[in-house]
Structures are given as structure tokens and as C-alpha cells.
Amino acid sequence: MHEYPITEQIIKIASGKAKENNARSVTRITLVVGEQSGFIGESIQMYFDIISKGTLCEGAVLEMENIKAKWYCPDCNIHYTRQPFSFACPDCGNDGMPTNIGKEFYVKDIEIETE
Ligand SMILES: [Zn+2]
């Protein structure tokens, strides 16, 4: 549900950029979505299709780069992707700690059409 306001925000940013550049439309928006960001790509896409109607973003491709969450093991000094139902480091078996990798959520790139 909370994807609705964030999708509105993305469309606002992209439309603003298109206007600034006297563009006819936005053709592609690339989003970086971390697994732990709390946002679900499918929901953003669904809202995007609805909210973008009639805006400069209508028909734009919404591209998502999904980032897997990483854990950190201080004993081995490595980052790793945890297995389901486990926080264990693959090397030593101790429980690692969560990191900020996987919490990303931002607009990486906006492509516009000016012709
Ligand atoms: Zn370890």
C-alpha cells in the first residue's frame, strides 16, 4: 500500500525532469530497489501504470534493479547473501549482522524523449 505515495513521487520527479528539458515524454525510469527497502517492485509497477496516465510518464518503461540484501560476518570480514531461515556466515557458521546493502531505494536514471 505504501508504494502509492512513493510512485507518485517518482512520477513527479521524472515529469519535472522532462519539463525542465522541454521533453515530449519520459521513456524509461530506472529504479534501484533493495530487497530490504520495504518497497515491492510489482506494486510500484502496478501504481505506475495507473498514476502515470495522462502525465509525461505515460508509457514509460519502469526498469528495476533489484539488490539482494547482504549480511556481514565480522569474524571472516566478508559480506554474504543469507540462506532462507538462517543468518549464518557460509564460512564459519556464526551469525552475521545485517548491513545497509539491500536497503537502497532511489531513482537511478531517467530517459526522456525531446524530439
Ligand atoms: Zn564468518
Side-chain angles (χ1 to χ4, degrees):
M1 277 301 276
H2 61 290
E3 278 84 5
Y4 191 94
I6 202 75
T7 308
E8 274 186 318
Q9 200 60 35
I10 293 162
I11 291 170
K12 211 185 232 175
I13 292 167
S15 297
K17 185 169 179 198
K19 269 182 205 137
E20 257 172 48
N21 293 281
N22 296 316
R24 216 164 49 135
S25 64
V26 175
T27 50
R28 182 187 296 267
I29 301 169
T30 307
L31 288 181
V32 175
V33 185
E35 192 182 23
Q36 299 284 312
S37 69
F39 295 108
I40 299 164
E42 286 83 14
S43 300
I44 295 172
Q45 180 72 65
M46 185 186 82
Y47 288 128
F48 186 83
D49 292 342
I50 300 166
I51 306 170
S52 68
K53 281 209 167 64
T55 73
L56 290 173
C57 292
E58 186 172 351
V61 175
L62 196 56
E63 199 170 85
M64 304 208 203
E65 288 180 10
N66 295 299
I67 299 198
K68 283 246 168 242
K70 295 268 189 184
W71 262 251
Y72 174 72
C73 175
D75 296 328
C76 309
N77 193 29
I78 57 161
H79 285 88
Y80 61 93
T81 309
R82 76 177 180 92
Q83 298 303 306
F85 312 114
S86 162
F87 296 99
C89 164
D91 280 6
C92 68
N94 289 334
D95 279 354
M97 51 180 79
T99 68
N100 284 330
I101 303 169
K103 290 185 180 155
E104 301 84 349
F105 185 82
Y106 57 90
V107 176
K108 187 186 172 193
D109 200 30
I110 298 168
E111 271 177 37
I112 50 174
E113 195 175 60
T114 45
E115 291 296 299

